[in-house]
Amino acid sequence: PVTVRDLTSLYNYENEVYAVEGNGRTVREALENSSRLYFSCATPQCENTPLTDRNRPGYQFDTAQGVSYELDLTKPVGQR
């Protein structure tokens, strides 16, 4: 028999989904902040720099469901 305790021991992290109401500016700023924390420099001057911060796991990169957006990593932080 498999218990709930057995199942929860397989994955130590609780998964939670939150709904946050906000306007377009709030969503843009939240996505910009997430990209600032996860992605590194992506300009020709950073040619030998990894695209992502290898110390930050990919599951910590926030996204927005139901929103179409693109990140332009060649632009400065705050304008991506």
Side-chain angles (χ1 to χ4, degrees):
V2 177
T3 66
V4 172
R5 183 180 196 152
D6 294 330
L7 295 175
T8 58
S9 69
L10 294 174
Y11 190 71
N12 297 329
Y13 306 101
E14 293 182 24
N15 285 325
E16 297 181 5
V17 175
Y18 293 94
V20 179
E21 188 174 334
N23 58 25
R25 180 178 179 176
T26 304
V27 172
R28 183 181 54 78
E29 288 174 353
L31 293 172
E32 175 64 37
N33 185 56
S34 181
S35 71
R36 176 185 61 83
L37 297 173
Y38 185 68
F39 290 104
S40 302
C41 183
T43 62
Q45 295 82 1
C46 304
E47 185 176 315
N48 296 320
T49 304
L51 181 60
T52 60
D53 180 353
R54 294 183 179 169
N55 295 318
R56 186 171 295 275
Y59 58 78
Q60 291 185 344
F61 177 65
D62 295 330
T63 59
Q65 182 178 359
V67 178
S68 296
Y69 63 96
E70 294 181 12
L71 298 172
D72 186 347
L73 300 177
T74 62
K75 293 192 175 185
V77 172
Q79 300 175 14
R80 294 178 171 180

